[in-house]
Amino acid sequence: MTADATLAGAPPREDLLALTADTLAALANRGLVKRAAKDLDAGAGPRVELAADGGVLGTFPDGSRTRLPAGAGPDAAECSCAAAGTCRHRIGLVLAYQQAHREAVQEEEAAGPPFADWSPGGFDDARLEAGLGGPALAAARRVLARGYTATVHPAREAQPVPWVELATCTVRFPVPHELGYALTDAAAAQRGETVALAVWAFRTADADGGETLAAGRRVSVGGPAPAGPGRDTDPSGLDEALALADELLLDGVAHTTPVFAAQLDRTGAALSRAALHWPAAVLTDLRGQVDSYAARDTRYEAAQVAALVAELHARHRAGALDRPGVLGTQEPAETPLRRVRLVALGCRISGRTPAERSAELYLAQPDTGIALVLRKRWDLADGQSLTGADLAARRLLGSPLRALAGANIVSESISRSPGRTVAIGRGRVAATSVTPVGSAWADLPGTLLVRDIAAHLGDRDDRPPRLIRPRVEADTARVLAVSSVGPVGYDAARQRLEAVIHDPSGGSALVLAHHDPVCPGRLDALADALGGGRVRFVSGLLRREGGRPVLDPLAVLTADGLVLPDLAADTGTRALAPAGVRTADPITRALESAFSALADLVQTGLRGCGRTGHDRLTSAAADLHRTGLHTAAGLVRTVATTLGTDTPAAAVTPWTDAAVHLLVALDLHRETATP
């Protein structure tokens, strides 16, 4: 590589010098970066020249000529080679330019790169149109008119790259004040649109002001003026969804008809078209419960139906207050992503009926610090019975499930939903690579890898109630660093394994794993892994219960390798000591009993409530009052009193008020109560 003499006194191209190997790999791929670096080390780099307009020219030994225009990155470069898209010459010219300024770059690295306190919200619409193009900006404005939500992560000294998490992708701005270097994991066709949406999200966050939360600031951008509680019409179909939920509550699940099920489908489709993804998902779940009841399926649960009806009403009420994320983001239902690297965190096998098995693969996306879910379902033939160990050999994306559940996955054919579920196209398996997970867990970002459990859960205390949170899959999936493991025991009454793990900061979490006949080797494999004394990390679903952290484990990474309990064979070789007995506290018992009484009414319907249902509500209200929960007692008593009249329809609102109150109280108490 040789450099033109004019480079010596010219102002450096800060945008090119700011590009790290990781950023270049995101713009192209890591293989191209490695090849370009190898060519440069071998003396096959380009002759670098500086054009009068600030562009950088490179002439390679193979005759290829490459030009990096001023203010533009490698994806906007011109190259005479025949490669489509970003090629090794474009990457090689950036590396060669950086090498020409090696002394300046080394001095900058020795002192540490200066922190640039800037916001992408400073890009005005004229700059966006010039950099992204008119069609992309027009598409983004259509989304802006509908409204959307985003989580904004401003630049900080600990994380100098500002980025935005949209519903179905992320956008990062690695080079200060340079729009052309914005990175997104959305497919190329959606790049301009998503970058514009990210800029507007930053602009909204900047206008709102206020202290930035450590986990990012959630903002609501654009959209029509919020409708008040007294609105008369609802073109999105939300009022129709509420009417269906109330009809279900009045008549009961036992009296639903195929016509009612079709209405759920039609209204859910209307909500999806209006991009109200969370209410649409509630109707989908309700349809599943109605179908399960009609088929006498064990998946039917009256309490689940009651919770769904309460959730729909809660989202409607909170949505009228214009709370971000309550009704579902205004993003497309599915967005294709460009090349994405995912790290498997393990899997969960389930079989709610004898005729089916399903697998949920939990996948970390290191670049964004979030977890995603990939689902697979198998329908079993008559008389067939498969366990998790049997499914471990089933192939998915060309690899056994056992390998995929503990792998690094790089794919160019992934699409992501607002609920953080992913689908990987079957027609492009060749574009997906699967390699062992190795030490990738240790390199996960702090949002996924937890080294201080107490501090991590403390950051989540300001979340809204579960009933109105975004319906995000794998929201609690985490990897916990483990310094030591306490005794492993077995609770025979509840058929569950219990163990205490300690983090490097001195905190602890209770590991709870329940027996499932579909996964007969789960508890033995988990006990062997935790009892071996060589545990490094445990992945699972982290929550707080009874005032302490609780982990539902998915996988264990030991010094000897990765253990996937749900896919383990049943050996039955380990004897476990009995675990301590834990009993529910009086407040939990009173709340659960009262909600169960409300849930029973959903099955029979408010119109079909007899003396038994009325007496049970009255008894539940008395229990709540004795426990000191006077507000909850009054709400449940109102339901009983109203049902005693000749107008059961008048009990719909009291039932909803009581159900929402009890569910929120239960969630808060389970998280904070002392065991």
Side-chain angles (χ1 to χ4, degrees), residues 485-491 496-500 515 520-535 558 560 563 568-578:
V485 180
V488 179
Y490 180 68
D491 183 342
R496 71 183 188 187
L497 177 142
E498 300 183 5
V500 176
H515 170 70
R522 175 190 291 169
L523 300 191
D524 284 337
L526 190 60
D528 288 340
L530 294 177
R534 296 166 62 84
V535 179
T558 72
D560 300 319
V563 177
D570 182 16
T571 58
T573 57
R574 188 178 183 91
L576 297 176

Side-chain angles (χ1 to χ4, degrees), residues 197-483:
L197 296 175
V199 168
W200 292 333
F202 263 107
R203 197 179 296 172
T204 299
D206 295 342
D208 290 345
E211 185 178 354
T212 302
L213 299 175
R217 185 189 309 165
R218 192 164 182 83
V219 295
S220 182
V221 189
R231 64 184 177 186
D232 296 325
T233 60
D234 176 26
S236 70
L238 188 54
D239 282 345
E240 185 177 352
L242 290 173
L244 288 174
D246 292 347
E247 180 182 343
L248 181 65
L249 182 56
L250 280 168
D251 294 336
V253 180
H255 300 99
T256 54
T257 65
V259 173
F260 180 82
Q263 288 176 313
L264 287 176
D265 289 340
R266 179 175 56 80
T267 306
L271 292 173
S272 295
R273 288 193 296 271
L276 300 179
H277 299 301
W278 308 153
V282 172
L283 290 193
T284 299
D285 290 348
L286 274 176
R287 171 61 192 267
Q289 287 292 310
V290 168
D291 289 346
S292 294
Y293 181 85
R296 301 298 186 263
D297 195 328
T298 56
R299 285 176 295 186
Y300 169 75
E301 297 178 13
Q304 177 67 5
V305 177
L308 291 169
V309 172
E311 179 183 346
L312 196 60
H313 277 276
R315 290 190 183 278
H316 177 257
R317 296 175 183 182
L321 302 176
D322 197 32
R323 292 289 302 272
V326 169
L327 298 178
T329 57
Q330 305 297 322
E331 295 284 340
E334 191 172 77
T335 295
L337 306 180
R338 64 193 296 268
R339 175 183 288 263
V340 175
R341 183 174 75 92
L342 303 173
V343 177
L345 303 180
C347 75
R348 172 58 34 84
I349 302 296
S350 59
R352 296 297 299 273
T353 70
E356 71 172 38
R357 295 290 183 269
S358 62
E360 291 182 328
L361 270 69
Y362 289 83
L363 306 166
Q365 190 175 2
D367 290 342
T368 61
I370 63 175
L372 308 168
V373 175
L374 173 65
R375 288 194 174 96
K376 174 64 177 178
R377 173 180 166 177
W378 293 272
D379 292 322
L380 306 185
D382 291 341
Q384 188 178 22
S385 178
L386 298 179
T387 67
D390 298 325
L391 295 174
R394 292 289 181 99
R395 302 189 75 81
L396 184 60
L397 303 179
S399 299
L401 180 60
R402 181 186 294 105
L404 201 64
N408 285 297
I409 303 171
V410 179
S411 179
E412 297 177 355
S413 54
I414 287 181
S415 58
R416 169 181 154 187
S417 76
R420 294 185 186 170
T421 59
V422 297
I424 302 180
R426 293 184 177 181
R428 299 186 60 194
V429 172
T432 300
S433 65
V434 177
T435 57
V437 70
S439 61
W441 283 10
D443 299 325
L444 291 173
T447 53
L448 292 171
L449 176 58
V450 179
R451 299 184 183 275
D452 187 336
I453 300 171
H456 178 81
L457 289 177
D459 290 339
R460 299 166 62 87
D461 286 342
D462 60 345
R463 295 184 303 167
R466 178 180 56 84
L467 284 179
I468 60 172
R469 282 182 212 150
R471 279 179 146 243
V472 173
E473 302 285 350
D475 185 41
T476 60
R478 298 292 185 270
V479 173
L480 271 57
V482 178
S483 61

Side-chain angles (χ1 to χ4, degrees), residues 47-59:
R47 173 180 174 80
V48 183
E49 305 174 59
L50 187 66
D53 61 358
V56 177
L57 307 176
T59 304

